[in-house]
Amino acid sequence: MSAPLPSWNDGAARRALLDFVDAVTTDGASSFVRPEDRVAVFDNDGTLWSEQPMYVQAHFVVDRVRELVPAHPEWRKQQPFQALIEGDEEALRKLTEHDAASLVAATHAGMTTGEFSRTAKAWLATAKHPRFQRPFTHCIYQPMLELLELLRTHGFDLHIVSGGGIDFLRAFSEETYGIPSSHVIGSSGKTHFDLRDGQPVLVKLPGLTSLDDGEGKPINIHLHIGKRPVLAFGNSDGDLQMLQYTGSGDGPRLRLLLHHDDAEREYAYDREAKTGRLDRALDVAGKDGWTVVSMRSDWNQVFPQG
């Protein structure tokens, strides 16, 4: 039988994960956690897949805006549409998850949720990362796939908690991570119920109802899961409150931050980054004893083969 987490180098991070799983799943131990309470939450961008040079959903929005601009000529003089259309790299680098979610809402108003899902899936099937020249869904992290599988086989209840759009995430979460759409929490846009050709549908409207970032993450965890996680994994200041919330419960808790410090195999960024900034959370991690995972030192492989 092969050792668990083969893409993880033997070190403090790998041992912390294996020790935690052993502690909460050993029946009879004082640290045992019932399977129904083994809630584990994961950020997506920069935690489960690459988020540089900009969020994947931002790439999606750029392509959608360029596709739809003939029907919206006014966008050529409106920001941030103008920057996207003209390929203004500096402006594009400043796009936040909030910007991406808002632009998705603007470019998909009037679509049904089913139409949006089909559009997102079709885009993901052909779009490629500009540096790695592989589909974005192949820019997921092999060590994280192994961790998800380890937790799954030990009865953990896995959830994605991301600032990305919930409908975009649901278009690939099950096929890519084995996490069903019902276990995805993300930023959500307004919708309304309608009958089209006699069939009930949900139609996407402009505007956000919830931004799932920062303090919004623990709020939505409580709203949608109803239990405090025992394990949380993030990579940026946007995950700080989620990790703090996870750690404040009773019993064993594990909080992890992925530090992107591998410019050769992926990217190196933290405190000064425009996308996925890791500053305050890194300080809190050091003070409170969270597990910081070094991509360079702790992973012997970054992406899946092929």
Side-chain angles (χ1 to χ4, degrees):
M1 184 175 180
S2 60
L5 305 181
S7 295
W8 292 72
N9 294 322
D10 188 28
R14 182 175 183 272
R15 288 193 296 271
L17 284 166
L18 295 177
D19 288 348
F20 180 78
V21 170
D22 183 63
V24 301
T25 61
T26 299
D27 200 3
S30 60
S31 55
F32 178 77
V33 176
R34 301 180 306 165
E36 57 267 34
D37 293 328
R38 293 176 200 159
V39 175
V41 294
F42 293 81
D43 172 55
N44 181 57
D45 295 305
T47 301
L48 295 177
W49 72 359
S50 186
E51 65 182 353
Q52 297 290 347
M54 63 182 183
Y55 299 116
V56 175
Q57 192 166 359
H59 288 283
F60 174 58
V61 170
V62 169
D63 286 350
R64 285 295 296 166
V65 168
R66 290 172 177 167
E67 180 181 344
L68 295 173
V69 71
H72 297 274
E74 71 278 7
W75 286 354
R76 296 187 182 276
K77 299 299 181 182
Q78 295 177 3
Q79 295 291 4
F81 297 100
Q82 183 179 353
L84 269 63
I85 295 165
E86 295 176 356
D88 185 336
E89 295 294 333
E90 183 176 352
L92 291 177
R93 282 194 295 270
K94 294 178 181 178
L95 279 178
T96 66
E97 291 188 44
H98 186 282
D99 293 329
S102 298
L103 284 164
V104 165
T107 55
H108 292 82
M111 295 180 70
T112 68
T113 52
E115 289 168 342
F116 179 91
S117 178
R118 290 189 291 272
T119 299
K121 288 180 178 180
W123 181 83
L124 286 164
T126 59
K128 292 185 177 181
H129 190 282
R131 173 183 171 186
F132 302 116
Q133 289 301 304
R134 55 162 61 194
F136 287 107
T137 50
H138 293 185
C139 293
I140 54 180
Y141 302 134
Q142 178 64 28
M144 297 303 290
L145 294 179
E146 294 168 4
L147 176 56
L148 293 176
E149 184 58 26
L150 175 70
L151 296 176
R152 189 179 293 114
T153 59
H154 284 82
F156 280 77
D157 185 22
L158 307 179
H159 297 259
I160 293 174
V161 183
S162 170
I166 191 168
D167 289 330
F168 185 74
L169 290 159
R170 286 173 170 171
F172 65 90
S173 63
E174 185 157 10
E175 180 178 353
T176 304
Y177 303 129
I179 296 178
S181 60
S182 59
H183 280 52
V184 171
I185 299 172
S187 298
S188 55
K190 295 179 180 180
T191 59
H192 78 94
F193 178 87
D194 198 6
L195 290 174
R196 291 190 175 180
D197 298 324
Q199 297 298 314
V201 293
L202 294 177
V203 179
K204 297 177 75 66
L205 301 173
L208 288 172
T209 57
S210 174
L211 177 62
D212 191 54
D213 194 45
E215 65 182 28
K217 290 196 173 189
I219 291 170
N220 281 327
I221 287 170
H222 172 73
L223 178 65
H224 295 284
I225 302 175
K227 292 183 177 181
R228 193 185 302 264
V230 298
L231 182 154
F233 208 138
N235 77 291
S236 74
D237 284 357
D239 303 311
L240 173 60
Q241 291 88 344
M242 178 175 75
L243 273 72
Q244 290 174 319
Y245 179 67
T246 297
S248 63
D250 296 329
R253 305 277 154 169
L254 186 62
R255 294 156 292 178
L256 305 107
L257 276 174
L258 176 59
H259 188 192
H260 292 262
D261 56 0
D262 194 332
E264 182 177 345
R265 296 186 299 177
E266 201 235 17
Y267 295 94
Y269 59 99
D270 45 43
R271 298 186 188 275
E272 302 301 323
K274 300 297 183 182
T275 298
R277 175 176 296 175
L278 177 60
D279 184 16
R280 185 182 169 206
L282 193 58
D283 292 335
V284 174
K287 180 171 64 74
D288 291 353
W290 300 357
T291 298
V292 177
V293 178
S294 163
M295 178 177 285
R296 183 182 64 237
S297 301
D298 288 314
W299 289 0
N300 59 62
Q301 179 179 340
V302 175
F303 301 124
Q305 297 292 338

